Amino acid sequence: MTPAWAGLVRNLAVLTDFYTSPPPLEPLTVRSLYLDRRGPTLTLRFDLPAFPDRPRPEWEQNGCDTFQCQLQFLAVDDFLLLGWNPRVTGSLDIVPTVERRVLVRLGTAGTHLTFSSSDSLTIGKMSAYRSSTDGADRGHHYYVGKVDQLRYDVLPDLGEKTFYGRV
C-alpha cells in the first residue's frame, strides 16, 4: 500500500526505484530545513525510517544503513516553527486540504512545525550512508543523482544554496 504522501510527489519514480512501497513518514529524522523566500519554498532534508528494500550494490558493499532525501514544498504559507534544534525525530503529517493544498505538521517532543503548501511535492538529493554511533550524518554519502555524485561525497555546509535550495 502506498502512503498518502507518496501520491503527492510528482517525481515518485525516483524513489520507487529503491522501495517496493514508499515508507510512511514516521518516525523520521529531520536533519535540516531550508526556507527560500522566492516561491516561497521550504525544503526538508530527512532520513527515511526504513532503508530501501532494493538498494544499489555499492550501498550494501559499503555498509550503508540509512537513506536520506529532501522533500520540497512550493507556495508555502502560514509557516510556524517553534523549538527548532536539529536533529528532530518525529512524525511528518501531510494532509490534503482545499484548492490543491496540503497542511504539513511535524510533531515531536520539543519542536513544532506547521505550514501549508501546494499539493505538488518534489523529492530529490537522495543518498545512502552508514549512520554513526552518535546518530550524525556526517560520513560518506552515496548520492543517487549523477550531478550530486560528481559534486559531493559528504554533506556540504548548510550555506550551500545549490544543494539545500534545489532538489
Side-chain angles (χ1 to χ4, degrees), residues 134-150:
D134 65 356
D137 62 345
R138 63 181 165 264
H140 191 286
H141 281 246
Y142 298 88
Y143 287 94
V144 171
K146 292 190 185 295
V147 172
D148 294 330
Q149 289 173 19
L150 292 172

Side-chain angles (χ1 to χ4, degrees), residues 14 17-18 56 58-59 123-127 140-153 162-163 167:
V14 298
D17 284 348
F18 306 109
R56 288 184 173 172
E58 71 177 309
W59 300 349
I123 197 164
K125 302 290 187 205
M126 296 179 292
S127 68
H140 191 286
H141 281 246
Y142 298 88
Y143 287 94
V144 171
K146 292 190 185 295
V147 172
D148 294 330
Q149 289 173 19
L150 292 172
R151 292 192 69 192
Y152 313 107
D153 59 357
T162 58
F163 182 84
V167 293

Side-chain angles (χ1 to χ4, degrees), residues 85-103:
N85 186 15
R87 150 180 101 225
V88 174
T89 300
S91 171
L92 185 66
D93 297 317
I94 303 172
V95 180
T97 61
V98 296
E99 298 178 7
R100 299 203 49 180
R101 301 214 26 103
V102 293
L103 176 62

